[in-house]
Amino acid sequence: MYAREIEEKLTELGIKVGDKIKVSKEEKYYEGILMPRSFYNPDVLVIKLANGYNIGIEWKNIVKIEKVEEEKKKVARVERKEEIQEKHEKTISILSTGGTIASKVDYRTGGVRPAMTAQDLFEAIPELREIANIEPRTIMQVYSESMNFEHYEKMAKEVFNEIKKGVDGIVIAHGTDTMHYSSAALSFAVQNLGIPVVFVGAQRSSDRGSSDAAVNLISSCLFASQSELAGVFICMHESMSDYACAVHLGTRARKLHASRRDAFKSVNAKPVARVLWREKKIEYLCKDCVNLRDKNKESELFANFEKKVALIKLHPGFNPEIIDFLIEKSYKGIVLEGTGLGHAPEYVMHAIRNACEHAIVCMTSQCIFGRVNLNVYYTGRDLLKAGVIPCEMLPEVAFIKLAWALGNFSEEEVKEIMRKNVAGEIVERILYGE
Ligand code: ASP
């Protein structure tokens, strides 16, 4: 409910949530759909503009308010599940895990907190009802920087259960900081996937007028329900504009900007698709990079992750004792982020050789773009001789893959798996950034 004075005025004018209204401030006016009140301020009128943005206007600044049009379809704000079920051909689930997308301002600390449920998100964006039958469910409420392998195990099991229920797609609302780790984890944990599983987040919390949550969620739900592709994806703003969202393969994307809406980019690859959410259209950019949707596929779950795995960045002045320490602590896997083509300082060689005797050691490149090649310099060849496995994939993906492989397979199998393309993670041909 809005503040009493506002509710009284709205009733007097016959305006309800969902109606199109025109609100005039001193010189400006705004037209849009009246939304339910924001979580934190009952004195601010929230309207959804034609561009999908919600804006808040302080009641005291409003000079005039008029009804332009009745709510189009009589969709009750809280529909019963059976009604939702019957409406569309496709059914998808939204699993909420927390992050900025599920956050609102917490007035105790002044910071945002992941306190919104999947149902809250669903109810705040009426357009979602027009896309598919949607079943929102909160499975955890954490920021993604605080996630660990247990969260991946839980997410994978939840996704697997949804697949068994027969849904046509799954959207996972998630924090953006480590979304690419989670998307990699799910890409490996659920094998033979026949539907799209789409990670989505927001750079501004959902209770802010400038939030990108609505556009991202609408786009990801469109992709999850209508795409011809199957696999694990990330769907976020394609550029700074609200025009479209890009869909990236879950093992090929990375958060490359701390705050921009288009923070996620495909690395050494093209995005697989673009969602033009206003037109409800999907443009495929790399259809043959991924598998096609096939609901009859029997998915398999490999949800274990080995916890004693480390991701280490090599740098000038790197202390080899760090590697010795991991081996002393019985770490089973180490992913090195080498310099350039995958190089390590020569004085670290001894520690790496020793590590290879006790653990699986993989080499990636901190360059992000380009390839790993241990054959160019003699130092790289020494690494190969010591048993280091070159991994042509993002360091984060190699880290997750190694933890997953060690969690589910024998040591010999792990060595093979790390060299094999399991979920589109291996760069076979550089498309961008040579
Ligand atoms: N720190 C937040 C998280 O990753 C940031 C976000 O959601 O965008 O959960």
Side-chain angles (χ1 to χ4, degrees), residues 99-100 143-145 175-178 202-203 255:
T100 299
Y143 280 130
S144 70
E145 61 270 31
T176 61
D177 284 5
T178 69
Q203 293 282 64
K255 186 174 181 180

Side-chain angles (χ1 to χ4, degrees), residues 352-372:
I352 294 180
R353 231 180 249 123
N354 177 50
C356 287
E357 309 261 297
H358 302 93
I360 309 267
V361 182
C362 297
M363 180 62 82
T364 60
S365 169
Q366 55 194 258
C367 289
I368 306 299
F369 287 96
R371 312 200 70 149
V372 171

Side-chain angles (χ1 to χ4, degrees), residues 14-42:
I15 295 173
K16 297 173 289 3
V17 166
D19 289 346
K20 192 170 188 188
I21 57 171
K22 182 173 170 184
V23 180
S24 311
K25 284 170 75 179
E26 260 162 25
E27 296 115 36
K28 279 191 176 169
Y29 74 88
Y30 300 91
E31 232 178 65
I33 308 291
L34 177 65
M35 300 295 288
R37 61 163 274 203
S38 78
F39 293 91
Y40 60 99
N41 194 342

Side-chain angles (χ1 to χ4, degrees), residues 57 77 106-107 144 149 193 205-206 217 251 262 282 290 323-324 332 336-337 351 371 379 397 402 419 426:
I57 309 168
R77 207 163 73 72
D106 164 19
Y107 278 89
S144 70
F149 291 118
L193 193 55
S205 61
S206 293
L217 254 171
T251 50
D262 59 342
I282 299 171
V290 245
I323 293 177
D324 295 340
K332 300 202 167 56
L336 298 170
E337 257 190 41
R371 312 200 70 149
T379 45
V397 174
L402 185 54
R419 292 187 162 90
I426 293 192

Side-chain angles (χ1 to χ4, degrees), residues 147-164:
M147 283 190 177
N148 53 43
F149 291 118
E150 271 104 39
H151 293 101
Y152 301 155
E153 288 170 7
K154 175 158 174 62
M155 249 188 272
K157 285 179 186 157
E158 292 282 359
V159 162
F160 192 66
N161 289 339
E162 293 299 314
I163 296 170
K164 293 275 153 236

